[in-house]
Amino acid sequence: MGAAIARAAQWTSVFENGTGKLEFSPLNEKLLNDIIQYVENFGSKHSQEAALAFKDPLTWNSVLPPTAFTDGFEASGSKVVSRESDTQGNPLMLYENGKIQIRNMNMLANVMKTAKNQKLAEARACLEANRDPLVKILGAGYATVEGEDTTVIRMIEKMKTDGQEEVSLQLRFLLLIQQFDMQLLNSSLQQISKEVRLAPTTVNEDVALLQTFCGEDTSTPLLDIQFTSNYVFNNGCRAVPWRQVHGDICYIIVKPHDGDSFCVTASTYGCFINGGVEQDTKEVNFEKKSDIYKDLVALITAKSPKFAQNIEKKNFSKREDSIIELEREAADLRENVKEKEKTDVSADDNKVQSMQKATGKKGKAGKDKKKQLQPSLKWRNLGETRKTEEKIGKEKGKDGKVKKKSSPSASRRASLYNRRTPGVDEEDMSDSSEESEEEDEAQDRRQEAGTDLPSEYWQIQKLVKYLKGGNQTATIIALCAMRDFNLSQETCQLAIRDVGGLEVLINLLDTEESKCKIGSLKILKEISRNVQIRRAIADLGGLQTMVKILKESNKDLKCLAAETIANVAKFKRARRTVRQHGGINKLVGLLDYKPTAPIQGHQTQNVSAKDIEVARCGALALWSCSKSTKNKHAIRKAGGIPLLAHLLKTLHEDMLIPVVGTLQECASEPSYRLAIRTEGMIENLVANLESNNPELQMHCAAAIFKCAEDKETRDLVRQYGGLDPLVKLLEQSDNKELLAAATGAIWKCAISRENVERFQELKAIERLVQLLTDQPEEVLVNVVGALGECAQEPANRLVIRKCGGIPHLVQLLTGTNQALLVNVTKAVGACATEQDNMTIIDKLDGVRLLWSLLKNQNPQVQASAAWAVCPCIENAKDAGEMVRSFVGGLELIVSLLKSNDLEVLASVCAAIANIAKDEENLAVITDHGVVPMLAKLATTTNDKLRRHLAEAIARCCTWGHNRVSFGREGAVAPLVHYLHSKDESVHRATAQALYQLSRDPDNCITMHENGVVKLLLDMVGSSDEVLQEAAAGCIGNIRRLALANEKAKFA
């Protein structure tokens, strides 16, 4: 297991003084499950080896309570020992104060079985504490090593000389473990190969292209770029084989013009900077030292601004003349800005000097303070300049291209806001598909010169002047005085900005005086709730300084800095800045709160309360930052998941709200959903649903809403009793946010039929039907989604009809919300499977409304509407006449066969199969060209589409010469290949289609040539009678044609 853990497992970066942790990734989960299964079955297959005593016990902090150990163990308080012991008298299992020691494989298997639902967490803890188990099991001489491993040879030699049975046993044990290691590595390689994004040929072409542009001339993009190895394996990779298990392709030395050379690992999942090449051994340090970029060019662009600048000059992307004109316009504007700055600064200097004369502070200290805190006043023209630059960006966006990192406009912005991040790459500019743009259109409002301003405005202006020119004491007094104002009032917030106070407050964060920092942060924390203020703070480089403060020893400073970051990081540029300056790792570090010893004195209590507050503020900041996809990955890599899981067990509601908020934001990522499930967080989320705090309830329900995408999570919610409080939350009809979260969680949980049974017992369907009126769309989407899932059960369809839900559902078909339309069509389609329900839907003109939705531009709506039409046609009294009554309806549904969406195609084929049951309708769709369109789809490899396509072809063959037309269009041969599918329903539909097609002699010949007889013979013995009959009928038609040919020959 050592080699697989060291080479195939994915580890987080080392967290401060701790050790690396196993990432919560699908690959790691598969590895852990394989190891658990192997350990549990080891004793039954290899009894002697399983009883072999370890040299040293495997030791780790167990997630199990002492009460979990029952049979075969003796408990004494928090200490548990096994009744079995080794030859030295040591118990094979010792559990004390949460720490467990295991001394053979039998006992390890026993512990895994005892863990039950917590097996994954227990195995994770064991492997994190014992990264090379063989060292503990067989001794230090059997450690996993790089390169040639001579352990087996040494053991054979030892066995020859000593001849001991124990050495033979150890050798067998080692060989078994090594064999299992190879199995793990191979399965990991298969798992990794499914996620390939880069290929060796792509990387080689990129390097070859960049080499053509290298040179010592500074106008070239790079100085040099070379592979570390010239040896190429058969698969095109240059990495050593055991590193290819990780997906490594090769290693590249890049020498830029503007910095030191660095070594890049090119892997199938992207490129990243590694630890470089060791000078002594000339070996590559494989440790990841940077983020992963999609390709080599993106990485070098992010690392070397000179590269990006020169690559732009090489005209790799075209620029329009209008863009160049706008850039010149921006350059002229900057010149005006500089001139105005000089005027403003000189005027401000005169004001400060006059103020100092009035206050009598002319000392050297005052002058130094003034010089240190004097703002550059660049913010004054920030709005006008940014408008011009945004205009340039919009012009560049017209051709659909994304701006590169060091484009001219990006360079100018970096020079204008000298404390901002110098630039970003393509990936950073598109930070997250889920990120809100809630503030991108915020207008910059400033006080007009001619308007009447309140007295607070002028008083704040005076205080800001004292801040600029006063000494340390005056600065602290001015900060205290400023806090006396109502800083939650917009007038006061904008007054601080308009008179240049923001830059002074941010400059104060760079001083060495803690009191000044605390005062400044308290003000910034309050005023940063304003949209315009938080943007100005980001523009002036305040975030970078606050991130640095997070490493201070002063806990008050940490709290204030984290809370201010939480307020500012409401838009994606701010979140990106926090990540790029290492803020995520530092914020995760704030969560590392460990409860102190039992409280004995007042001082200990204060320290503990302050630690809790630091962790709470860190969670608040992470909550804001977690709206970015890249930040979610950064939190996970920094080891944030176990810390969030630990904080989730606290009783402090103020702590729980940001922790759960962060988790529910991150739960959109599969790796987080996996971690939430395996770390036992579902139980805590369910428990907090019964809290008295509506906000906490809302976030817990929202987290379950996202996590319940996975079946295992849905089962856990039911097992921990989470369905009951979710249904109870439906009573909170006044709190729309809570109602949306609760109905969303019910919707996702209802995907599992076992949960629907519980919802039936709790009368949840009746309550959901009551919520179909007078609710916002975000609630309706979830309510209708839940009803659609519950309506899959016949009993619930009856309940929906009796409660009067069908008219409300039909009425919702006239809406415009796309997500709502997808769910309501599914719900109406499910209800239409009952005859009585279908009668109501038909009377309310529901089928016509469904048919009209086929014109919707959203493929999901089209597919859902087409699926809903199928049961309507099946259960309508006069379906054929009803379908013909829709003007242009048949032409519309045939035209949808031109769609590129597989779900749309499958649903439309299913609808056509139902429509074709009526002979007149079949004649009409034949005239509309349904046969060649269906034949064109025959080459698909999607089993769902194959099934419904075969059904449609079978139905269409019954009219005129359609079966002959299908043969001419080349649909017969591909249909034969459908019989190789593993899906029984595909076999049934295909056999029916082939039976209908086999009535044409030419089609029989095509089928026979493609080997259909052997495939159908196997299916004649199927337990499915429909499949039996169709297969036999097709074979019969082919045989009759063969006999007719034989008779013709002899005649």
Side-chain angles (χ1 to χ4, degrees):
M1 290 178 282
I5 296 168
R7 297 171 183 172
Q10 297 168 338
W11 295 84
T12 62
S13 57
V14 175
F15 176 71
E16 289 192 356
N17 296 325
T19 56
K21 302 289 184 181
L22 282 168
E23 288 187 8
F24 290 91
S25 63
L27 176 60
N28 281 355
E29 184 182 23
K30 187 178 186 308
L31 278 174
L32 289 171
N33 282 323
D34 289 346
I35 292 171
I36 291 169
Q37 185 179 1
Y38 182 77
V39 168
E40 288 181 343
N41 298 330
F42 191 84
S44 60
K45 295 179 180 179
H46 314 286
S47 56
Q48 287 184 316
E49 289 80 3
L52 178 67
F54 298 165
K55 291 291 183 184
D56 293 302
L58 292 176
T59 306
W60 70 91
N61 290 319
S62 176
V63 299
L64 301 175
T67 53
F69 302 96
T70 53
D71 298 337
F73 300 97
E74 295 179 356
S76 174
S78 61
K79 183 177 180 180
V80 181
V81 296
S82 63
R83 293 195 179 102
E84 298 179 50
S85 58
D86 61 12
T87 55
Q88 305 297 323
N90 298 314
L92 293 179
M93 196 284 290
L94 172 63
Y95 179 100
E96 189 171 11
N97 296 325
K99 186 167 285 190
I100 192 169
Q101 293 183 356
I102 300 296
R103 292 185 178 271
N104 73 6
M105 290 292 286
N106 280 330
M107 193 54 63
L108 184 59
N110 197 348
V111 171
M112 288 297 116
K113 291 173 183 176
T114 303
K116 296 180 181 178
N117 294 335
Q118 295 181 297
K119 286 180 185 178
L120 267 180
E122 192 71 15
R124 182 185 297 277
C126 175
L127 293 176
E128 285 175 350
N130 306 276
R131 292 184 68 158
D132 194 352
L134 282 178
V135 173
K136 296 287 185 72
I137 295 173
L138 298 176
Y142 301 92
T144 303
V145 296
E146 306 297 343
E148 185 179 2
D149 188 354
T150 59
T151 308
V152 176
I153 298 172
R154 285 190 285 107
M155 289 194 73
I156 293 173
E157 293 295 330
K158 186 177 180 181
M159 191 170 63
K160 287 180 180 178
T161 55
D162 296 351
Q164 295 180 3
E165 178 62 26
E166 184 182 359
V167 178
S168 174
L169 193 62
Q170 289 177 347
L171 176 60
R172 294 202 302 272
F173 186 94
L174 178 63
L175 291 173
L176 288 170
I177 295 298
Q178 288 184 344
Q179 183 183 15
F180 179 55
D181 254 336
M182 289 302 299
Q183 292 175 5
L184 288 179
L185 290 171
N186 288 332
S187 65
S188 300
L189 186 58
Q190 292 173 6
Q191 182 82 6
I192 291 168
S193 66
K194 295 177 184 178
E195 303 172 359
V196 170
R197 289 195 291 270
L198 283 182
T201 52
T202 306
V203 177
N204 289 333
E205 287 170 2
D206 285 349
V207 173
L209 179 63
L210 290 172
Q211 283 175 337
T212 61
F213 297 108
C214 290
E216 295 184 359
D217 189 352
T218 55
S219 63
T220 58
L222 287 173
L223 190 62
D224 191 21
I225 181 169
Q226 296 292 340
F227 291 108
T228 58
S229 172
N230 293 325
Y231 183 79
V232 181
F233 289 89
N234 292 335
N235 59 1
C237 295
R238 298 170 188 258
V240 291
W242 70 267
R243 285 300 302 179
Q244 290 181 31
V245 172
H246 291 266
D248 289 8
I249 295 172
C250 61
Y251 311 103
I252 305 158
I253 300 292
V254 180
K255 295 181 180 178
H257 286 290
D258 53 352
D260 297 332
S261 61
F262 52 91
C263 188
V264 175
T265 296
S267 65
T268 53
Y269 51 87
C271 295
F272 58 88
I273 297 174
N274 57 41
V277 179
E278 300 289 345
Q279 295 298 323
D280 299 333
T281 60
K282 300 299 181 184
E283 293 182 355
V284 177
N285 180 353
F286 305 110
E287 186 179 357
K288 186 169 63 178
K289 296 292 186 180
S290 73
D291 290 337
I292 299 174
Y293 294 84
K294 62 177 184 179
D295 54 33
L296 184 60
V297 174
L299 185 150
I300 302 174
T301 302
K303 182 72 175 173
S304 171
K306 187 74 173 177
F307 172 82
Q309 182 181 350
N310 290 345
I311 218 81
E312 289 281 339
K313 292 178 182 178
K314 292 288 181 184
N315 292 325
F316 277 75
S317 60
K318 297 180 181 178
R319 297 179 181 173
E320 302 293 336
D321 293 338
S322 58
I323 296 175
I324 298 172
E325 290 176 8
L326 286 169
E327 290 173 351
R328 289 173 183 166
E329 191 179 319
D332 294 338
L333 179 60
R334 280 198 311 281
E335 292 298 325
N336 296 335
V337 170
K338 289 179 181 178
E339 291 177 7
K340 190 171 182 181
E341 275 182 15
K342 291 177 183 177
T343 307
D344 289 340
V345 171
S346 60
D348 199 69
D349 283 342
N350 293 335
K351 290 179 184 178
V352 172
Q353 288 174 8
S354 61
M355 183 187 71
Q356 284 184 335
K357 288 178 182 178
T359 55
K361 295 180 177 65
K362 294 184 181 179
K364 183 178 179 181
K367 291 179 182 178
D368 290 342
K369 190 71 177 179
K370 180 190 75 172
K371 185 175 180 181
Q372 181 185 357
L373 300 178
Q374 182 61 44
S376 65
L377 301 178
K378 290 179 181 178
W379 56 270
R380 291 187 185 275
N381 301 287
L382 213 53
E384 187 180 0
T385 308
R386 287 184 65 189
K387 285 176 186 175
T388 303
E389 305 232 335
E390 284 170 8
K391 189 177 178 184
I392 295 171
K394 287 177 182 176
E395 287 290 332
K396 288 190 177 184
K398 287 179 181 177
D399 61 356
K401 294 181 180 178
V402 182
K403 291 176 284 185
K404 297 292 182 181
K405 171 177 175 178
S406 293
S407 62
S409 58
S411 301
R412 283 196 298 277
R413 284 199 300 275
S415 63
L416 182 63
Y417 317 131
N418 59 343
R419 298 183 60 168
R420 281 179 55 195
T421 307
V424 291
D425 58 18
E426 271 187 46
E427 288 185 68
D428 281 340
M429 288 304 292
S430 58
D431 218 355
S432 172
S433 59
E434 297 177 4
E435 287 195 54
S436 64
E437 304 290 341
E438 67 270 22
E439 297 168 11
D440 283 358
E441 305 264 337
Q443 294 182 352
D444 190 14
R445 292 175 293 174
R446 295 181 182 276
Q447 302 287 353
E448 296 293 337
T451 58
D452 294 331
L453 298 173
S455 59
E456 290 91 343
Y457 187 89
W458 304 111
Q459 292 170 5
I460 288 174
Q461 187 178 40
K462 290 179 182 177
L463 289 174
V464 170
K465 290 179 180 177
Y466 279 108
L467 283 178
K468 291 178 182 178
N471 59 18
Q472 180 177 316
T473 305
T475 300
I476 294 172
I477 292 171
L479 289 170
C480 294
M482 195 176 290
R483 285 201 64 215
D484 291 337
F485 288 95
N486 184 8
L487 296 178
S488 61
Q489 190 176 358
E490 189 177 28
T491 304
C492 296
Q493 294 169 349
L494 297 181
I496 294 173
R497 182 197 65 176
D498 291 347
V499 297
L502 269 183
E503 190 166 48
V504 179
L505 291 171
I506 290 171
N507 283 346
L508 283 172
L509 300 181
D510 285 324
T511 62
E512 299 297 328
E513 179 54 48
S514 296
K515 292 180 180 178
C516 291
K517 290 182 182 179
I518 290 173
S520 176
L521 282 171
K522 284 184 176 180
I523 295 169
L524 288 171
K525 184 187 80 171
E526 295 298 327
I527 65 176
S528 59
R529 302 179 195 277
N530 183 290
V531 174
Q532 301 163 53
I533 297 292
R534 63 176 68 126
R535 284 191 169 275
I537 290 172
D539 291 337
L540 294 167
L543 281 171
Q544 291 89 317
T545 308
M546 292 177 205
V547 168
K548 292 177 183 176
I549 291 175
L550 294 175
K551 295 297 289 182
E552 295 270 358
S553 58
N554 189 314
K555 293 178 182 177
D556 289 323
L557 277 175
K558 286 183 180 180
C559 290
L560 290 168
E563 281 191 279
T564 311
I565 290 172
N567 290 339
V568 177
K570 300 290 186 184
F571 59 102
K572 64 182 180 183
R573 180 162 53 84
R575 293 191 281 269
R576 185 170 61 241
T577 301
V578 173
R579 182 182 71 249
Q580 290 175 337
H581 288 82
I584 299 297
N585 287 334
K586 293 172 184 174
L587 289 170
V588 169
L590 299 185
L591 303 182
D592 196 12
Y593 156 70
K594 296 178 181 177
T596 56
I599 298 170
Q600 296 178 354
H602 182 69
Q603 185 177 1
T604 306
Q605 188 172 359
N606 286 341
V607 171
S608 179
K610 186 58 67 177
D611 288 337
I612 294 172
E613 182 65 13
V614 170
R616 185 191 73 84
C617 295
L620 269 175
L622 287 175
W623 187 7
S624 295
C625 293
S626 63
K627 290 180 173 62
S628 158
T629 301
K630 289 192 173 183
N631 284 354
K632 292 172 188 175
H633 296 320
I635 293 170
R636 176 175 57 81
K637 290 178 181 178
I641 295 177
L643 295 175
L644 289 169
H646 172 70
L647 293 176
L648 192 59
K649 295 177 173 63
T650 185
L651 299 177
H652 301 281
E653 284 188 354
D654 290 342
M655 172 80 80
L656 284 171
I657 289 173
V659 168
V660 177
T662 305
L663 288 172
Q664 70 97 0
E665 282 290 348
C666 294
S668 57
E669 295 294 313
S671 57
Y672 274 91
R673 294 200 294 270
L674 170 65
I676 289 171
R677 184 174 77 244
T678 55
E679 286 284 306
M681 291 187 243
I682 297 296
E683 184 177 6
N684 300 114
L685 291 173
V686 168
N688 287 318
L689 284 174
E690 300 183 8
S691 166
N692 295 323
N693 189 316
E695 187 180 1
L696 178 58
Q697 288 177 315
M698 184 264 290
H699 290 306
C700 289
I704 292 172
F705 176 23
K706 291 183 179 179
C707 292
E709 294 282 353
D710 306 319
K711 183 183 183 306
E712 295 86 351
T713 301
R714 296 194 291 271
D715 294 340
L716 286 174
V717 172
R718 182 182 69 255
Q719 291 168 16
Y720 291 127
L723 302 181
D724 297 47
L726 284 174
V727 174
K728 191 175 180 182
L729 289 178
L730 296 180
E731 299 171 3
Q732 309 291 331
S733 56
D734 295 334
N735 189 333
K736 301 304 179 186
E737 287 186 344
L738 177 57
L739 192 61
T743 51
I746 290 173
W747 169 22
K748 294 302 180 183
C749 288
I751 296 173
S752 295
R753 299 280 77 87
E754 299 87 352
N755 291 347
V756 173
E757 292 174 6
R758 182 57 185 162
F759 286 139
Q760 286 177 270
E761 296 171 4
L762 296 170
K763 306 292 183 185
I765 291 88
E766 291 88 334
R767 296 189 187 184
L768 289 169
V769 171
Q770 294 171 6
L771 294 174
L772 286 173
T773 55
D774 302 324
Q775 297 297 337
E777 286 186 340
E778 56 267 23
V779 175
L780 285 173
V781 169
N782 298 338
V783 170
V784 175
L787 288 174
E789 294 296 339
C790 292
Q792 304 301 317
E793 298 292 328
N796 293 335
R797 295 195 284 268
L798 176 63
V799 173
I800 293 171
R801 184 178 78 245
K802 287 184 175 180
C803 293
I806 293 177
H808 295 304
L809 290 173
V810 173
Q811 186 179 3
L812 291 174
L813 290 171
T814 59
T816 57
N817 184 298
Q818 304 295 297
L820 179 57
L821 288 174
V822 171
N823 286 352
V824 77
T825 47
K826 182 178 180 180
V828 171
C831 291
T833 54
E834 300 281 342
Q835 287 282 357
D836 295 336
N837 292 352
M838 183 56 216
T839 304
I840 299 172
I841 293 169
D842 195 16
K843 285 181 181 178
L844 296 170
D845 213 15
V847 183
R848 186 181 299 275
L849 292 172
L850 283 172
W851 212 283
S852 67
L853 289 176
L854 295 173
K855 301 176 184 177
N856 196 291
Q857 297 301 311
N858 189 329
Q860 289 181 310
V861 176
Q862 290 176 340
S864 187
W867 287 121
V869 163
C870 295
C872 292
I873 297 173
E874 288 178 5
N875 296 288
K877 288 184 179 179
D878 190 359
E881 185 59 35
M882 178 188 71
V883 171
R884 285 192 295 278
S885 69
F886 303 144
V887 179
L890 292 173
E891 184 180 2
L892 169 63
I893 203 158
V894 171
S895 68
L896 286 176
L897 290 173
K898 299 176 183 177
S899 173
N900 295 321
D901 189 279
L902 288 174
E903 191 69 19
V904 172
L905 293 172
S907 60
V908 170
C909 286
I912 288 173
N914 284 284
I915 291 168
K917 292 177 182 178
D918 182 88
E919 193 173 72
E920 289 185 44
N921 289 340
L922 177 54
V924 174
I925 61 175
T926 300
D927 292 339
H928 285 308
V930 73
V931 171
M933 288 186 180
L934 290 174
K936 192 180 290 185
L937 299 175
T939 55
T940 182
T941 57
N942 182 279
D943 278 347
K944 189 175 185 180
L945 176 55
R946 280 177 166 183
R947 173 193 168 188
H948 296 290
L949 175 60
E951 289 175 352
I953 290 174
R955 296 284 184 189
C956 291
C957 281
T958 59
W959 174 256
H961 299 287
N962 282 357
R963 59 174 59 92
V964 178
S965 301
F966 277 120
R968 288 173 183 169
E969 294 290 339
V972 177
L975 277 173
V976 174
H977 296 294
Y978 290 11
L979 298 176
H980 293 287
S981 170
K982 296 179 180 179
D983 191 337
E984 290 290 336
S985 59
V986 175
H987 295 167
R988 187 190 311 114
T990 304
Q992 289 175 312
L994 290 172
Y995 171 62
Q996 292 293 335
L997 290 168
S998 66
R999 295 185 178 186
D1000 176 65
D1002 291 334
N1003 291 344
C1004 285
I1005 294 169
T1006 305
M1007 291 179 200
H1008 190 273
E1009 289 173 348
N1010 284 273
V1012 75
V1013 175
K1014 184 179 180 181
L1015 295 169
L1016 289 176
L1017 281 172
D1018 294 335
M1019 294 177 186
V1020 170
S1022 171
S1023 59
D1024 187 331
E1025 293 183 2
V1026 176
L1027 175 57
Q1028 273 185 356
E1029 187 177 350
C1034 183
I1035 294 171
N1037 288 338
I1038 294 171
R1039 181 59 184 156
R1040 276 189 285 274
L1041 176 63
L1043 289 173
N1045 285 337
E1046 288 178 10
K1047 286 180 181 180
K1049 282 181 184 180
F1050 292 110

